[in-house]
Amino acid sequence: MDLRYTEEEEHFRDELRSWLSSTLPDVPPLPADHTDLVARRAYDTAWQARLHEAGYAGIHWPAEFGGRGSTPTEHLIFLEETERAGAPYVGVNFVGQLHAGPTLIAEATDEQRATHLAPILRGDHVWCQGFSEPGAGSDLASLATRAVDDGDDYVVTGQKIWTSFAQVADYCELLVRTDTEVPKHKGITWIIMPMDLPGIEIRPIETALGSGEFAEMFLDEVRIPKVNRVGDENDGWRVTNVTFSFERGTAFISEVISSQRLLADLARVAQKVTRRSGTAWDDMGIRRELGVLDAELDALWSLTKRNVSQAQRTGSVGPGGSVFKLAYADVRKRMADLAEQILGRAGLAIGDTLDLSDMDHVAERLYTLTLTIAAGTSEIQRNIVGERLLGLPRGDR
């Protein structure tokens, strides 16, 4: 696919820049209390509504499902321009916008699409993800949350963990076990769970940064209509891999651009931090590592273009999403290590105690620790790359 910019695409960029320039001054700041998820939902969904009114919601979704039907290049231009303009991120809408919605487009029934896609695009409905379980670890297919067949419903009992923004979500993309007599990958089903059903209890988890976006979710005989099932019963592992391909392939696009901004800022910080008679910038090793990381982020941006093209062509990113996720987590870890080296003692506390930057490189370092775990651990990504790209034999499961 040719990803060079055409005259029409440059026109799209100019229009978008003009809209951002006129719109962003009226956008209020993020809520100061980052533990107030109700305020955060109001902020994020208001931005989503603005995008929808302007025709920029679901920019890469097909027009028949309410999106703009833009080309992969226009999608990338949108992400570049919004990130560089400092526009709000998807925030609490990330599950619905980035992988639940695309999964419904690929796998849901016409009725399910008609019910859910438009509210996601308007920002009316917020989704969360009920995949991870405390007893399954990295082996997601070992999940134990049980769904018992009872007439027109499934009766679901179990526990989920690391469920982002569950406290303010309207729906959950939920994985349940519907057959315990078959190999574990063959007894899983993907279900849409309304979050206002009886039997759901949410317990927030406080992170090391003091935020509370994560939660435990306890399910006690929750009755979920079978019409909420996406795909066939016991075919959930295949549907889940469709979700994963979006989660690992295109959901991190904005993070590549924000990482480039973070690295550029780190280079400026290196020129301010004093070292004896000079600054950290005088260290040739630091300058070299900054250059190497910058080149690797450029390479990740190119891989992103490839993955977006793949998703546009086939409906799924495929194993390229795992290659990206694995490489991105490694680059961010090395950026965090370099930040610690540059900051020295200032790197021991959250917040810029030396007035070096508007960005908090210490908080970013702590956030980096999640990247080898969230959306599938690095060990899982290595298994996928080894088996599906390199053709290595499958391990015992």
Side-chain angles (χ1 to χ4, degrees):
M1 176 170 285
D2 187 354
L3 285 170
R4 290 172 294 184
Y5 300 129
T6 65
E7 184 176 338
E8 291 77 13
E9 288 159 351
E10 291 293 2
H11 178 66
F12 170 78
R13 184 192 297 275
D14 291 341
E15 279 190 340
L16 176 58
R17 280 182 177 175
S18 176
W19 181 77
L20 289 169
S21 176
S22 63
T23 302
L24 288 179
D26 295 331
V27 175
L30 267 171
D33 182 358
H34 57 208
T35 65
D36 186 349
L37 295 188
V38 174
R40 179 59 191 269
R41 172 179 168 135
Y43 176 86
D44 290 336
T45 55
W47 174 247
Q48 182 62 33
R50 287 196 181 204
L51 289 174
H52 185 262
E53 291 169 4
Y56 291 118
I59 191 164
H60 59 300
W61 289 22
E64 64 183 298
F65 299 122
R68 189 182 176 106
S70 296
T71 65
T73 308
E74 288 172 336
H75 182 200
L76 292 173
I77 289 172
F78 173 82
L79 294 168
E80 279 185 297
E81 294 299 326
T82 51
E83 178 65 33
R84 287 170 181 162
Y89 185 55
V90 286
V92 302
N93 299 301
F94 83 94
V95 171
Q97 294 286 328
L98 302 183
H99 43 89
T103 300
L104 295 179
I105 290 173
E107 298 291 337
T109 64
D110 290 342
E111 291 76 13
Q112 290 168 337
R113 291 167 177 154
T115 299
H116 294 289
L117 294 180
I120 289 174
L121 286 180
R122 291 195 301 265
D124 293 343
H125 290 173
V126 170
W127 283 57
C128 62
Q129 185 181 75
F131 282 13
S132 297
E133 296 189 4
S138 297
D139 184 10
L140 178 60
S142 294
L143 64 91
T145 294
R146 187 79 170 92
V148 177
D149 188 327
D150 188 17
D152 292 332
D153 298 333
Y154 291 112
V155 180
V156 178
T157 300
Q159 180 185 353
K160 300 291 179 178
I161 197 168
W162 309 124
T163 305
S164 303
F165 301 115
Q167 304 93 316
V168 292
D170 302 293
Y171 291 93
C172 176
E173 51 177 16
L174 183 71
L175 293 185
V176 295
R177 183 160 301 285
T178 39
D179 192 336
T180 59
E181 303 300 321
V182 297
K184 58 187 179 182
H185 292 82
K186 297 181 179 179
I188 295 171
T189 299
W190 203 107
I191 298 178
I192 301 167
M193 181 175 74
M195 292 295 287
D196 59 354
L197 294 176
I200 301 174
E201 180 185 356
I202 306 298
R203 299 179 188 171
I205 300 172
E206 184 175 341
T207 70
L209 293 171
S211 59
E213 69 269 26
F214 294 117
E216 293 178 285
M217 184 165 64
F218 296 85
L219 309 174
D220 183 12
E221 298 188 345
V222 180
R223 299 191 74 89
I224 304 174
K226 287 183 178 175
V227 294
N228 285 19
R229 187 183 69 223
V230 175
D232 293 333
E233 186 172 284
N234 298 327
D235 191 31
W237 189 249
R238 184 191 61 78
V239 180
T240 302
N241 277 282
V242 173
T243 306
F244 283 156
S245 69
F246 293 112
E247 186 178 15
R248 296 165 183 168
T250 56
F252 284 92
I253 291 175
S254 292
E255 290 217 15
V256 177
I257 299 170
S258 63
S259 295
Q260 290 173 321
R261 293 174 55 202
L262 189 67
L263 187 68
D265 185 75
L266 190 57
R268 289 190 288 271
V269 169
Q271 295 172 54
K272 297 178 183 177
V273 175
T274 55
R275 292 279 193 278
R276 296 179 182 173
S277 60
T279 67
W281 184 255
D282 298 327
D283 186 328
M284 185 181 297
I286 286 177
R287 296 202 306 273
R288 178 183 180 280
E289 185 61 10
L290 283 166
V292 169
L293 288 167
D294 190 45
E296 293 189 26
L297 285 172
D298 272 347
L300 280 173
W301 184 238
S302 296
L303 178 58
T304 296
K305 293 178 180 178
R306 180 263 180 204
N307 286 341
V308 170
S309 298
Q310 170 83 1
Q312 181 77 11
R313 198 168 53 247
T314 66
S316 172
V317 174
S322 291
V323 175
F324 172 88
K325 173 70 169 47
L326 189 58
Y328 178 68
D330 178 69
V331 167
R332 285 301 304 266
K333 179 181 181 303
R334 287 162 46 215
M335 281 178 60
D337 291 343
L338 183 61
E340 183 181 22
Q341 182 181 352
I342 291 172
L343 290 171
R345 293 179 62 185
L348 297 177
I350 294 175
D352 178 21
T353 57
L354 300 180
D355 195 24
L356 295 169
S357 168
D358 293 333
M359 294 183 171
D360 191 336
H361 290 277
V362 179
E364 289 288 343
R365 180 168 180 266
L366 291 175
Y367 165 71
T368 299
L369 298 176
T370 70
L371 292 174
T372 57
I373 301 172
T377 66
S378 292
E379 288 73 18
I380 293 293
Q381 312 307 329
R382 290 188 180 94
N383 277 345
I384 293 172
V385 171
E387 293 172 3
R388 301 181 193 176
L389 288 181
L390 303 179
L392 299 177
R394 293 169 61 90
D396 295 334
R397 293 177 182 173

